[in-house]
Amino acid sequence: MTDSEKKLKLTVNGKEVESAPGEMLIAAAEKAGVLIPRFCYHPRLEPVGVCRMCLVEVKGPRGFTLQPACYIAVADGMEVVTDSDKAKKAQDGVLEFLLANHPLDCPVCDKGGECPLQDQTLTFGPSESRFVEEKRHFEKPIAISKLVYLDRERCIQCDRCTRFAADIAGEALIDFEGRGGELHIATFPDKPFASYFSGNTAQICPVGALTTTPYRFKARPWDLEQVESTCVSCAVGCQMVVQSSENEIVRYLGIDSEAVNQSWLCDKGRFGFESVSSAERIPSPYFNEASGMVETGWSQALDKIAKALKSAEPESVAVIGGSHMANEDIYTWVKLAKGVIGTDSVDAQLDDGLDPKIVALSDRATIQEATQAKLLILMAGDLREELPILFLRIRSAAKKAGLKILEISLSETSLSEEAEVSLRYFPGHAEELVNGLFGAEIDPQLFAGDLQAARALVSSVDPASVVVVGGRENLADSSLDPERAIAKLLDTLVGSKFLSGLRRGNVNGAIDLGMVPGFVPGRSQLQAGNEALRAKWKTLPRKAGRNSKEILESALKGEIKVLFLLGADLISDFSDSALAEKALSNIPMVVGIDTLTNRTTSHCSVVLPATAFAERHGSTTNIEGRVSTLGKKLVGFSLSRPEWMIAVELAAYMGEDLGFENLHDIWGEIQEVSQLHRGLSIAALGAPGAKEGIVVPLSASKVQISTRRVLDPIATPGITSVGVSGPPSSSAALPGEGDPVLSESTYSPQRSKLLELLAQNDRAKAGPEADNFALVVSKRLYDHGVEVMSAKHLSELVAPSKGRVSPKGWGQIGLNGSGLTRLQGNGASVELELVVDPSLLDGVVKVEFDGALGEVSKLFGVDNSTSRVKMEKV
Amino acid sequence: MPLPPLKIVSARANDPKNVTLEGYLANGGYQGLKRAVLEMNPEDVRDQVMQASLLGRGGAGFEAGRKWSMLKKSDIRYLVINGDESEPATFKDHMLVESDPHQLVEGALIAGYAIGAARVFIFLRGEFALGFERVQNAINEAYDYGAIGRDIFGSKFSIDLVLHPGAGAYICGEETSLLESLEGKRGFPRIKPPYFPAVIGLYGKPTIVNNVETVANLPWIVKNGASSFTDLGAGRSRGTRMFALSGQVNRPGTYELEMAKNTFRDIIFDPEFGGGLRPGRSLKAIIPGGVSAPWLGPDQLDVVLGQDEVAAVGSMLGSGSIIVMDDSTCMVKAAWRISKFFARESCGQCTPCREGGSWIEKVMNRIESGAGREEDLDLLMDLCDNIVPGVSWPPQQTTICVLGPSIPSSVAVSIKMFRDEYLTHIKEGGCPYD
Amino acid sequence: MSRFTKEMETRAYELLALYPEKRSATIPLCHLAQEQNGYLTEESMVQIADLVGTTPAEVLGAASFYDMLHTEPVGKYVVGVCTNIACLLQGGEELLGHAEEKLGIATGATTDDGMFTLEDMECIAHCDHAPALQVNYRFFGPLTNDGFDTLVDDLSAGKLESEVPPHGTLSRVQRKHPIAVPLEEIVRHRRDSDAKEGERLAAKAAAEAKEGSN
């Protein structure tokens, strides 16, 4: 059946409206310009039809009756009247009922000014209340978590927050309590609403019943200025609105991007804005001298760095970091390092990712493709901890559309419950397990899970309809084993696609633009040569460079003279903090470019202040390769500058001209040198229909021209959302201002057998040993990283790192009641609390990474193929 | 004069031994079930029930046979017996479960056989502790007797039956709310469509929900045949009906009467039944069929106790309850108490019921306690109108279930019938009956 | 400790096994917890959530909906006086007022000695015995004020312990039989018998059609 055949027609207020089967009347009417009043209806939630505000007259066998428009599916020939006296009376009646017990505290309510109840009352409501009785009273407000306040008197029992918590986030930590007039929202005593997604409930609350702590009493809606942007707290690329008041960010709100975040944000993304105004911001350039910090000017600082660069061999210059930067910064720094200085030792990853070849040279999937795959294979860290909104998308697809998932992991994750089959492996044996999946014999002692079922699952689907999400689950192990396992999956399942599970903000853009060793912009390998690049770049590195781990190891040998750290807090974030600290002390010139002082800035010779998120324009790239824009809302803090500008000026001090005066110049050159980005003009990116970003490489089948719509007009007034309306008929143009040119890219991945591109894994692969445990270190959302710790309210959510062992392991250590345990490894000793996790294999201990605390990272060295720790009860 | 009562469901109610298997068997128990599973095909049982024109005895009065025929085809389907009797002044199921628990079990099993239920649940009102003990005991005995479980009575038919306790919420008498409760949730009614239990019921599977008294008729119908059942009653109302008579009569109680053969006057005044009012009292109003029904006045005493007959005068036979109020009763107070009941028992989902119900109760309370204003009567009528457009009967709905539309009934009808009494409260600043 | 004792835990698992979906056991388990502890403690609700596979908030959300489930301690005897319409007409309100006086507590409160909690109940379906009440859901009525006093005195003196178990014991009769036939087996059987029924109905329809045409 074609789309046009599926259309059906109904009349709303005498006007003919087209709709499709399954659509709810409220949505069909809205498209036709009839906004039926509503409170409980939210297009991203299952309808419940409880507020009864959307009662309209629908003609049935017994004539017109009042029906809830949010719960009635359209039917061909349906006759609907939304503005009759009877419908109006019913709607007015509901509104009056809702107001009966609602407090008159609008002047002190955060929602005041953007409150659907207030707005609808002003538009339709009575001027005076007929309710002369005593209103209901509840204790208020109640902090149901460190981020969300609940005011039960304002609540209109619309069930939005509870539906979100139970159905979307899968954490029914808030629920209704009581009955009838006493029905109210509650958390269980001593079990707060500790969800990574709690802020969404405040965004969708149609009254001021749920408000967020960081925004509380901060601003009035009419004073807010806003700009659309892309969240970079992880690499999902959620679309959002940045709202500020008096040059201070006060709130982020999720935009409904059909392709990406579908209106949701995680709390780390939503509340991370507090770090922008953190007291830890670096105000001006400074030198770290023996006497201490010495503030300096930009010219002195850049001059000093330029001099150091001039006297250094290209190979002795290295760049680490940059995964948080905008695409334009990344390209400019890559050009400076590889195209001017001539070093390939540039690495945006901190030994916590994957070999860039996997990301750059595989066929890539979009999030939508992943959620619609016949089979999704997960071989990444816990997505709820690393890419929270991707977790929500996959969970929803599994719950609602029956997405089949095969999980290959070291322990249970938040998606294990949704997986058809979960396979577990002993650290270091991922490749072996994947070989086993394709028929090889494997040692049953090193694995758990139903391998037969997994084999049947994989062979039941067309390999070309499989998507593999690949990431890095274990920081304490060499990345080679999981890399080879992912490569094996992609190679064997011919036609399968890869969705990057790399979590750092713009790390995928960094790989796309060559900010990794061995690559140049455009997912192109260095040795491949590139004519377009040679025309624009002065030079190209002569030797293949080092990755961040190798850079630090070379530094120990005195081979690194100048190291740039682009937003890289090595001592906190590099998995082997001891190596990082030693290496830094052995480099004559360490240049730290950052927004916040951190544990690494004190080890830098020169520190330069960078502008933060929302203080600059630009673009970023998400896990899909989707390029979307960053909005600027604030004046840059103090003397800070955007990173691209720092590179341009540094080049100037070296006597070189990078050729860029603004972001347009940079983007223009990216398009010229990168086949991958060809055709994606900056005007196209800025077009209204492209606000959710455009996936590179451009192809007519993937580019989706979207229409802007207001998703939830009552709770987020004025924030338009992006809804997909299908692929464009031609790839020629996007609607919008300017002259957007969007031509199809000629890029095609240099796909060969990925496995052949990776090193052989000839390291010893030991299994469980009697006297020690194999160490697994995994990321979690709220670690002690500087990003979280500098955001006041998020920092309060950071808990000490915990460890997990199998029940047998618990017994082996002799734990009983308390899990306090001393872990010894790599010459260090750390004490932490262990809990029992039956999903872990015996002989394994899984520990949460603790970022800036830097305790956990002492336990392992990056050269260990499988890190081992001894454990004893404290 | 009423006809001599022929009893079907309460025939053994006065035999104390009947609560045990032994007593029940001595009274001819389990013959219906045996006949059904050993001699009849399921469709034959369904045909019998269809022919018997057995109207549902829960309150809505929907024909049981037709209800069964609407069950969606599915490998898994469930039968749930609604024993959550909570309608004010309705106590016939209370009597049936306590006095004849095996009859309920047998009836439930016959229904389970007829519709091919994968499992039968009896949802019994939590407050019926004694009834729960008796039904549980009956179930235990029935398992031992071979009437429940694998290959019952040596037939090839196997079935399990589970007795499930409610926990105190009127709304769970509403069938979709009952299913939610049975699933371990709050008793929030589901929206129809699409949640017609026969299509999407328990655990999302097609489900039949039948009232206790409805299935209690089945052993007799199967044993005696549908035609014996239709010999009783008149019109659409066939067989007998349990009536629960309460209030200001001399002999309140449950009375099983042939359907559509007696009048309100018969049941209230006949010495065999209600035995009339207390000396010197006169009838002021009757609340038939449950507290959501419009009241009737003394001039309607001769209305026949049949489903269509009571509906014809703008009220309903409903759950079979009849509340008698004499001239010593304050109508405002009675209506207030009913509004208080609905305010307390609203599940809270829908705005008009949750907010409207408690608002109306507050205004009613204010009038009864002497702080009423004349404009309150218009206000009340308008609030009623906002819950039930036009304050019509049968009510138009603005809410998911029928609890909301039940709220205005007593308020509106009492204002209509006894406006002066309201005005007296307002003018005198208090209740004239206190 | 208010978690289920070993014996109660066994009963909890028996209850869980009665339902195709575990969550259905929520309310029966809440009753069971009340039988053990007199009321529904937080610890019980956490354990029940664990047993039925929901969150504690969902157990509280469900439990708080129902009048019989108490999340605060109640007396050994919960006295519920019906004041709904049928009892109201026969003096239910006055009886409740008298009960408050006799017990020395307001409706909703518990006596200091933890013996009695007084509740104002909606219709308890004992209307032919109005004014009626329940003590731990066992029926009494019709009651005069004197009758009420005697009842309370008897309860206090322990004279009614065989009739009225302590609060929370819904049923002194327990289910004896586990589920006899697994649901999957029943479903297979129903599929077969549905097919046979289909054949019978088709044959019957064919026969009727034949008869009609003859």
Side-chain angles (χ1 to χ4, degrees):
Chain A
M1 218 192 291
T2 67
D3 275 348
S4 61
E5 279 171 331
K6 276 194 224 155
K7 289 258 157 70
L8 46 79
K9 284 181 180 141
L10 59 150
T11 56
V12 178
N13 300 341
K15 207 165 96 183
E16 193 162 271
V17 175
E18 280 207 339
S19 179
E23 191 170 36
M24 288 298 160
L25 177 54
I26 198 167
E30 193 175 318
K31 273 198 254 163
V34 177
L35 188 77
I36 299 170
R38 81 284 299 269
F39 290 108
C40 69
Y41 171 74
H42 186 286
R44 292 285 177 202
L45 302 173
E46 289 297 315
V48 282
V50 296
C51 78
R52 316 306 286 181
M53 190 65 200
C54 69
L55 289 171
V56 294
E57 285 200 90
V58 179
K59 195 172 181 183
R62 280 173 236 153
F64 280 99
T65 54
L66 290 169
Q67 302 287 344
C70 75
Y71 218 93
I72 296 285
V74 292
D76 206 25
M78 185 181 252
E79 281 180 65
V80 183
V81 182
T82 73
D83 55 1
S84 63
D85 288 349
K86 189 172 165 190
K88 287 270 170 230
K89 175 102 173 41
Q91 292 164 9
D92 290 349
V94 170
L95 193 60
E96 185 183 28
F97 285 143
L98 286 174
L99 291 168
N101 280 293
H102 194 79
L104 298 167
D105 63 351
C106 303
V108 294
C109 176
D110 275 345
K111 200 77 179 180
E114 56 177 8
C115 174
L117 185 62
Q118 191 182 38
D119 293 347
Q120 297 193 49
T121 304
L122 291 174
T123 314
F124 311 109
S127 55
E128 217 173 284
S129 177
R130 296 190 291 175
F131 186 83
V132 297
E133 327 300 328
E134 174 84 7
K135 286 181 192 268
R136 262 197 304 270
H137 289 298
F138 287 108
E139 177 199 345
K140 63 184 262 185
I142 301 165
I144 56 171
S145 78
K146 292 208 160 110
L147 296 171
V148 179
Y149 274 106
L150 166 66
D151 183 319
R152 288 170 173 158
E153 292 179 355
R154 294 177 187 158
C155 177
I156 58 168
Q157 290 82 13
C158 72
D159 202 12
R160 278 183 170 205
C161 58
T162 40
R163 270 180 287 162
F164 173 82
D167 300 344
I168 305 287
E171 304 164 296
L173 298 171
I174 46 172
D175 201 354
F176 281 121
E177 187 180 355
R179 191 176 74 202
E182 296 299 315
L183 193 71
H184 59 272
I185 297 293
T187 52
F188 194 79
D190 300 326
K191 298 217 183 299
F193 185 30
S195 163
Y196 286 164
F197 306 100
S198 67
N200 292 298
T201 59
Q203 181 170 337
I204 61 176
C205 181
V207 289
L210 292 172
T211 51
T212 63
T213 316
Y215 179 68
R216 198 167 160 77
F217 304 138
K218 271 280 169 74
R220 306 304 300 187
W222 50 85
D223 292 331
L224 293 176
E225 294 178 31
Q226 68 181 42
V227 67
E228 295 185 3
S229 192
T230 306
C231 179
V232 291
S233 88
C234 79
V236 172
C238 296
Q239 297 302 297
M240 64 179 188
V241 165
V242 174
Q243 295 184 325
S244 69
S245 170
E246 295 172 345
N247 204 43
E248 189 190 348
I249 301 178
V250 293
R251 185 167 72 169
Y252 294 158
L253 293 173
I255 290 181
D256 190 86
S257 150
E258 173 67 31
V260 187
N261 54 312
Q262 305 194 337
S263 85
W264 314 124
L265 295 178
C266 73
D267 287 354
K268 185 178 177 185
R270 185 182 297 272
F271 300 114
F273 69 81
E274 289 185 309
S275 72
V276 174
S277 54
S278 158
E280 298 300 308
R281 283 296 296 273
I282 303 165
S284 72
Y286 65 90
F287 299 126
N288 274 321
E289 292 179 355
S291 56
M293 272 174 55
V294 180
E295 276 204 16
T296 184
W298 275 102
S299 53
Q300 291 93 321
L302 292 171
D303 190 48
K304 189 168 177 179
I305 300 164
K307 286 200 174 104
L309 283 171
K310 277 189 179 158
S311 62
E313 285 296 307
E315 285 76 24
S316 71
V317 178
V319 180
I320 296 179
S323 62
H324 67 290
M325 301 193 305
N327 288 329
E328 292 81 356
D329 301 323
I330 289 170
Y331 179 77
T332 310
W333 274 92
V334 170
K335 185 174 182 183
L336 175 65
K338 298 193 177 182
V340 173
I341 299 170
T343 177
D344 188 44
S345 295
V346 174
D347 193 358
Q349 302 196 81
L350 304 185
D351 194 44
D352 58 352
L354 293 174
D355 190 314
K357 291 191 212 61
I358 293 178
V359 185
L361 304 179
S362 57
D363 278 338
R364 299 276 293 273
T366 61
I367 295 171
Q368 183 174 316
E369 283 168 335
T371 56
Q372 293 174 354
K374 290 277 183 287
L375 175 65
L376 186 70
I377 302 182
L378 293 177
M379 229 194 123
D382 191 331
L383 294 184
R384 188 163 70 180
E385 304 293 333
E386 302 199 3
L387 297 163
I389 299 299
L390 180 63
F391 159 79
L392 284 195
R393 292 289 310 274
I394 292 175
R395 183 185 177 277
S396 282
K399 286 271 182 217
K400 290 179 192 157
L403 172 68
K404 287 201 169 87
I405 298 172
L406 166 61
E407 179 184 65
I408 302 175
S409 65
L410 291 157
S411 70
E412 194 172 71
T413 73
S414 316
L415 283 167
S416 298
E417 206 183 303
E418 316 307 331
E420 280 295 271
V421 184
S422 287
L423 299 177
R424 315 262 181 250
Y425 63 94
F426 194 84
H429 296 267
E431 185 183 0
E432 210 177 322
L433 176 56
V434 169
N435 286 334
L437 186 64
F438 296 120
E441 284 284 311
I442 58 171
D443 177 356
Q445 280 205 304
L446 299 170
F447 306 98
D450 190 342
L451 186 62
Q452 288 309 325
R455 283 174 176 164
L457 185 59
V458 170
S459 55
S460 70
V461 296
D462 172 9
S465 64
V466 175
V467 171
V468 178
V469 179
R472 180 79 176 277
E473 189 181 1
N474 183 8
L475 300 174
D477 192 4
S478 143
S479 59
L480 191 55
D481 179 47
E483 282 157 7
R484 289 187 58 88
I486 293 166
K488 175 81 184 177
L489 283 168
L490 292 167
D491 285 352
T492 312
L493 299 167
V494 177
S496 63
K497 289 185 172 178
F498 176 75
L499 179 62
S500 169
L502 298 184
R503 49 172 278 279
R504 289 184 180 275
N506 195 13
V507 67
N508 298 284
I511 291 172
D512 284 358
L513 291 165
M515 198 165 218
V516 281
F519 279 84
V520 292
R523 292 184 194 160
S524 296
Q525 285 178 277
L526 181 59
Q527 67 267 29
N530 186 312
E531 290 316 308
L533 203 58
R534 285 178 201 283
K536 290 283 174 189
W537 285 16
K538 185 181 158 197
T539 183
L540 274 172
R542 283 166 301 182
K543 287 196 335 210
R546 311 167 177 98
N547 66 23
S548 56
K549 181 182 87 179
E550 291 159 352
I551 292 167
L552 296 178
E553 284 166 348
S554 305
L556 291 182
K557 291 184 247 163
E559 291 170 10
I560 304 295
K561 301 297 177 205
V562 181
L563 174 65
F564 290 95
L565 295 177
L566 303 178
D569 178 8
L570 281 188
I571 293 171
S572 303
D573 275 2
F574 192 73
S575 41
D576 184 346
S577 59
L579 169 65
E581 201 161 342
K582 266 185 273 171
L584 288 177
S585 64
N586 212 28
I587 301 172
M589 167 67 77
V590 179
V591 182
I593 301 177
D594 220 317
T595 53
L596 300 160
T597 51
N598 55 50
R599 293 177 75 214
T600 307
T601 44
S602 58
H603 295 260
C604 295
S605 336
V606 186
V607 176
L608 305 176
T611 48
F613 185 80
E615 292 176 350
R616 41 89 38 82
H617 289 293
S619 69
T620 185
T621 306
N622 81 344
I623 52 174
E624 308 164 286
R626 180 182 302 277
V627 180
S628 58
T629 55
L630 299 169
K632 177 181 175 182
K633 194 72 226 82
L634 305 182
V635 176
F637 174 72
S638 189
L639 299 179
S640 65
R641 292 180 183 178
E643 285 95 337
W644 69 268
M645 200 183 281
I646 299 173
V648 167
E649 288 175 12
L650 181 58
Y653 274 85
M654 293 166 67
E656 304 286 345
D657 182 5
L658 291 182
F660 304 138
E661 284 184 4
N662 55 42
L663 293 171
H664 283 67
D665 295 342
I666 304 170
W667 193 260
E669 187 168 311
I670 291 175
Q671 273 199 84
E672 278 184 61
V673 303
S674 165
Q675 280 289 334
L676 179 71
H677 296 88
R678 187 143 305 166
L680 183 56
S681 68
I682 208 156
L685 264 183
K691 279 286 163 60
E692 67 180 349
I694 293 176
V695 176
V696 291
L698 294 173
S699 69
S701 61
K702 269 193 185 170
V703 176
Q704 289 179 309
I705 306 296
S706 313
T707 46
R708 303 287 277 171
R709 64 192 163 113
V710 181
L711 179 87
D712 182 16
I714 61 155
T716 49
I719 297 177
T720 55
S721 311
V722 189
V724 167
S725 60
S729 48
S730 87
S731 57
L734 281 167
E737 68 274 346
D739 181 30
V741 180
L742 184 70
S743 57
E744 195 152 338
S745 166
T746 54
Y747 171 87
S748 68
Q750 308 154 331
R751 175 84 186 252
S752 54
K753 287 278 182 194
L754 288 169
L755 202 55
E756 290 165 12
L757 301 173
L758 301 178
Q760 287 298 318
N761 194 352
D762 44 16
R763 299 172 198 239
K765 284 181 243 166
E769 291 166 7
D771 61 340
N772 63 46
F773 288 78
L775 178 67
V776 173
V777 173
S778 59
K779 286 274 187 182
R780 56 181 166 149
L781 196 63
Y782 302 142
D783 61 13
H784 291 80
V786 68
E787 195 188 338
V788 171
M789 295 310 287
S790 59
K792 180 175 173 285
H793 287 90
L794 289 180
S795 67
E796 291 170 11
L797 298 168
V798 181
S801 284
K802 272 208 193 92
R804 300 170 172 274
V805 283
S806 70
K808 191 179 160 195
W810 178 267
Q812 272 176 322
I813 308 163
L815 293 171
N816 183 13
S818 159
L820 196 60
T821 304
R822 186 175 300 115
L823 282 69
Q824 285 172 294
N826 199 31
S829 165
V830 171
E831 278 181 22
L832 45 77
E833 192 78 24
L834 290 190
V835 294
V836 175
D837 181 349
S839 79
L840 278 173
L841 294 182
D842 294 331
V844 179
V845 58
K846 182 179 169 178
V847 177
E848 296 163 337
F849 191 65
D850 58 0
L853 273 190
E855 291 293 311
V856 170
S857 57
K858 287 180 188 157
L859 287 172
F860 55 96
V862 285
D863 51 343
N864 294 347
S865 66
T866 299
S867 306
R868 302 282 174 158
V869 289
K870 292 189 188 302
M871 298 203 283
E872 58 182 20
K873 181 172 145 183
V874 176
Chain B
M1 271 300 288
L3 294 167
L6 187 149
K7 291 182 178 174
I8 294 177
V9 293
S10 66
R12 295 167 294 269
N14 293 326
D15 175 3
K17 286 203 215 89
N18 188 58
V19 298
T20 65
L21 179 70
E22 199 187 346
Y24 186 63
L25 290 175
N27 287 330
Y30 286 109
Q31 288 177 14
L33 177 63
K34 271 192 183 149
R35 176 152 185 221
V37 298
L38 296 176
E39 297 167 26
M40 296 166 81
N41 288 315
E43 67 269 26
D44 304 331
V45 180
R46 298 203 301 273
D47 282 348
Q48 286 291 304
V49 173
M50 187 71 105
Q51 285 165 28
S53 177
L54 173 64
L55 302 183
R57 304 308 201 219
F62 194 79
E63 223 177 293
R66 273 189 59 208
K67 196 176 205 177
W68 291 359
S69 73
M70 291 158 87
L71 188 63
K72 191 174 167 240
K73 284 203 186 338
S74 165
D75 288 343
I76 301 190
R77 51 218 189 239
Y78 292 107
L79 173 67
V80 179
I81 306 303
N82 185 346
D84 194 47
E85 184 179 63
S86 313
E87 182 64 38
T90 306
F91 45 102
K92 43 124 188 155
D93 293 343
H94 174 202
M95 188 279 274
L96 289 175
V97 295
E98 280 186 9
S99 66
D100 207 344
H102 277 287
Q103 173 177 256
L104 167 62
V105 170
E106 185 183 0
L109 292 167
I110 292 171
Y113 176 70
I115 65 158
R119 195 165 290 174
V120 181
F121 297 91
I122 297 178
F123 186 110
L124 195 63
R125 184 173 177 189
E127 288 90 341
F128 291 171
L130 179 62
F132 195 92
E133 289 173 354
R134 294 209 168 143
V135 177
Q136 187 59 66
N137 185 60
I139 291 169
N140 291 347
E141 289 179 328
Y143 264 100
D144 289 338
Y145 180 57
I148 319 179
R150 189 177 288 282
D151 298 339
I152 65 177
F153 296 137
S155 73
K156 289 263 180 292
F157 183 73
S158 304
I159 197 161
D160 277 289
L161 189 155
V162 173
L163 179 62
H164 180 93
Y170 166 71
I171 191 59
C172 292
E174 196 279 339
E175 58 183 3
T176 61
S177 163
L178 179 144
L179 295 179
E180 284 284 299
S181 185
L182 182 50
E183 289 181 9
K185 303 169 194 166
R186 281 182 303 278
F188 277 0
R190 300 171 179 172
I191 299 191
K192 303 183 207 179
Y195 293 102
F196 291 110
V199 183
I200 310 172
L202 186 63
Y203 312 126
K205 304 292 179 199
T207 302
I208 291 294
V209 183
N210 282 144
N211 170 258
V212 165
E213 186 189 343
T214 310
V215 294
N217 276 288
L218 297 179
W220 194 94
I221 291 174
V222 170
K223 208 160 100 180
N224 298 289
S227 59
S228 310
F229 194 77
T230 49
D231 284 347
L232 303 169
R236 281 206 309 138
S237 305
R238 296 293 170 172
T240 64
R241 184 80 206 251
M242 294 293 299
F243 290 96
L245 182 66
S246 66
Q248 288 146 341
V249 285
N250 285 323
R251 286 165 42 85
T254 50
Y255 299 101
E256 184 173 4
L257 301 179
E258 192 178 342
M259 282 273 260
K261 288 289 165 75
N262 301 277
T263 63
F264 283 103
R265 187 184 304 281
D266 294 335
I267 195 168
I268 294 170
F269 290 96
D270 190 283
E272 288 278 311
F273 307 137
L277 307 183
R278 291 175 294 179
R281 289 295 167 197
S282 62
L283 183 68
K284 198 164 176 185
I286 305 166
I287 311 177
V291 289
S292 48
W295 302 359
L296 301 175
D299 52 332
Q300 283 155 316
L301 270 173
D302 293 316
V303 172
V304 172
L305 296 171
Q307 178 132 321
D308 295 337
E309 290 81 352
V310 183
V313 296
S315 189
M316 65 172 180
L317 195 59
S319 64
S321 71
I322 297 166
I323 303 166
V324 176
M325 298 189 281
D326 69 22
D327 59 353
S328 69
T329 298
C330 170
M331 295 292 105
V332 177
K333 189 165 191 177
W336 158 73
R337 187 59 186 81
I338 291 169
S339 71
K340 179 181 168 189
F341 165 73
F342 285 122
R344 269 175 80 166
E345 297 294 348
S346 165
C347 82
Q349 254 191 126
C350 300
T351 307
C353 176
R354 179 187 66 243
E355 303 296 339
S358 49
W359 188 351
I360 286 174
E361 187 276 327
K362 281 175 178 167
V363 178
M364 291 292 290
N365 191 13
R366 198 155 43 73
I367 297 173
E368 167 63 15
S369 58
R373 311 162 300 170
E374 242 184 282
E375 63 260 39
D376 285 331
L377 298 188
D378 290 342
L379 173 64
L380 281 171
M381 286 309 286
D382 195 50
L383 295 179
C384 289
D385 186 73
N386 285 341
I387 299 172
V388 172
V391 202
S392 55
W393 182 267
Q396 289 196 57
Q397 235 164 290
T398 57
T399 50
I400 290 172
C401 84
V402 295
L403 192 148
S406 302
I407 300 168
S409 190
S410 290
V411 175
V413 81
S414 61
I415 290 177
K416 254 178 246 168
M417 289 170 77
F418 303 100
R419 192 178 181 90
D420 286 350
E421 212 166 306
Y422 276 87
L423 292 173
T424 309
H425 279 79
I426 291 165
K427 281 183 199 129
E428 291 180 5
C431 178
Y433 292 88
D434 274 352
Chain C
M1 285 294 283
S2 57
R3 288 175 67 87
F4 288 125
T5 60
K6 269 274 161 280
E7 183 207 336
M8 287 302 215
E9 203 175 82
T10 307
R11 281 177 65 190
Y13 282 110
E14 284 168 6
L15 286 169
L16 282 160
L18 298 177
Y19 300 94
E21 292 185 11
K22 286 189 298 183
R23 190 171 181 178
S24 278
T26 303
I27 287 163
L29 291 179
C30 287
H31 280 303
L32 193 67
Q34 291 202 151
E35 181 170 340
Q36 179 179 302
N37 304 314
Y39 75 105
L40 210 44
T41 66
E42 285 175 21
E43 205 175 19
S44 295
M45 286 189 274
V46 171
Q47 190 183 15
I48 290 167
D50 213 32
L51 288 167
V52 303
T54 60
T55 63
E58 286 173 304
V59 173
L60 174 63
S64 60
F65 188 86
Y66 300 100
D67 293 337
M68 290 176 74
L69 302 177
H70 295 84
T71 52
E72 298 289 332
V74 289
K76 182 178 176 188
Y77 297 112
V78 172
V79 178
V81 179
C82 177
T83 59
N84 200 298
I85 184 75
C87 286
L88 181 90
L89 297 172
Q90 302 286 68
E93 265 199 333
E94 291 74 13
L95 181 62
L96 181 64
H98 175 76
E100 287 188 337
E101 257 174 54
K102 166 76 181 170
L103 296 173
I105 50 174
T107 301
T110 300
T111 54
D112 288 341
D113 61 0
M115 279 296 280
F116 297 99
T117 296
L118 184 61
E119 291 186 345
D120 169 14
M121 279 185 95
E122 293 302 340
C123 181
I124 55 177
H126 205 45
C127 320
D128 46 350
H129 295 75
L133 59 79
Q134 288 195 318
V135 180
N136 295 349
Y137 309 103
R138 272 71 186 170
F139 289 101
F140 294 90
L143 280 175
T144 58
N145 289 350
D146 288 348
F148 181 84
D149 294 351
T150 310
L151 175 64
V152 167
D153 294 343
D154 286 353
L155 286 165
S156 299
K159 285 187 196 164
L160 293 174
E161 289 198 343
S162 59
E163 280 107 299
V164 184
H167 179 258
T169 304
L170 185 67
S171 174
R172 289 160 296 191
V173 181
Q174 286 166 37
R175 186 184 172 98
K176 267 173 41 188
H177 304 80
I179 291 298
V181 189
L183 198 65
E184 306 75 54
E185 190 188 328
I186 298 246
V187 171
R188 272 199 308 278
H189 181 268
R190 297 291 185 267
R191 203 175 296 147
D192 293 346
S193 53
D194 286 354
K196 281 186 198 135
E197 182 182 313
E199 284 164 25
R200 285 196 304 272
L201 292 174
K204 196 175 155 199
E208 274 168 12
K210 203 174 160 194
E211 215 165 274
S213 67
N214 280 349

